[in-house]
Amino acid sequence: MRDLPAAVDIREVGPRDGLQNEATIPVADRVRLIDALSQTGLRRIEAASFVSPKAIPPMAGADEVMAAITRREGVVYSALVPNVKGAELAIAARADEIEVVVTASETHNPRHGRRSV
C-alpha cells in the first residue's frame, strides 16, 4: 500500500479557468459567483487572472473583481499571473496568493505569455 499524503489541497478555479474561455461575464456577476463559492466551505478560490485584456478579454476587470468580493475569513483568494506586471497588479489588488504560469512548451509559452521557456 502506498503512503497517502497527510493533506489534500482543493482549489476552486472556476472563476478564473472556467470563465476565461467563455463570453465575457460582467464583473458584478463574477463577484456574485465568487461570493457564493465563498459560502460553500471552500478554503481556496482562484478568483482572477491578471493577464492582458487584449489576450484574454473575459478576465478584464480582475482588479475590480478583487476589490468587490466579500472576503470571508479562512478563504484564500488567489490570482493567476503570467508575468511581473501581472504579479504587481495582483499584489496591488490584495490577492492572498499568486499563481505563476509556466509551461515547458516553446509553442504554448510564446502564445500565452509572449516569452520563451
Side-chain angles (χ1 to χ4, degrees), residues 22-100:
E22 301 297 327
T24 301
I25 295 173
V27 166
D29 291 340
R30 290 164 38 205
V31 168
R32 277 195 290 282
L33 172 61
I34 295 165
D35 286 348
L37 289 168
S38 297
Q39 295 177 38
T40 66
L42 289 166
R43 294 291 172 230
R44 305 178 82 73
I45 300 173
E46 195 169 289
S49 180
F50 286 85
V51 296
S52 168
K54 292 177 189 173
I56 305 178
M59 292 293 100
D63 56 337
E64 297 172 63
V65 169
M66 295 300 287
I69 58 176
T70 301
R71 293 174 184 258
R72 294 181 63 92
E73 186 175 336
V75 179
V76 174
Y77 300 92
S78 64
L80 184 117
V81 303
N83 52 36
V84 172
K85 181 178 179 181
E88 291 169 348
L89 293 170
I91 291 166
R94 297 182 35 242
D96 297 323
E97 290 182 354
I98 295 173
E99 311 275 334
V100 179

